[in-house]
Amino acid sequence: DLHVYDTGKEGSPITSILNQSALKESDVIFGGFHWGHAKQLSDFSRENGIQMVLPFSANAHFVENNPYLFMIN
């Protein structure tokens, strides 16, 4: 199954998305497409053991601490 979530504009809260059971059962997460959501999604993927693909390169501390995170540029 493929699930698509609209995270809204930069700075929009994504807590309600992160609390959905379908997301917690995902095999991979593509996103976030806003820099402000990337850290939250990275933490979520690390805590739940879910592979994450970040669609831009990031030079941030959270990138180094997540073995599930892959960056593409």
Side-chain angles (χ1 to χ4, degrees):
D1 292 342
L2 175 66
H3 300 274
V4 179
Y5 300 93
D6 182 358
T7 59
K9 296 186 284 185
E10 178 79 34
S12 299
I14 61 171
T15 307
S16 62
I17 294 171
L18 297 177
N19 288 331
Q20 293 189 19
S21 61
L23 187 62
K24 291 180 180 179
E25 297 171 4
S26 297
D27 296 317
V28 64
I29 297 170
F30 291 89
F33 295 99
H34 297 297
W35 176 251
H37 296 149
K39 167 98 171 70
Q40 286 179 283
L41 287 166
S42 175
D43 290 346
F44 179 87
S45 77
R46 183 176 30 82
E47 291 166 4
N48 292 282
I50 301 169
Q51 301 293 328
M52 178 180 166
V53 178
L54 192 61
F56 55 84
S57 61
N59 200 7
H61 184 66
F62 69 86
V63 172
E64 299 170 2
N65 294 326
N66 187 349
Y68 300 99
L69 179 64
F70 299 90
M71 290 188 303
I72 57 174
N73 189 4

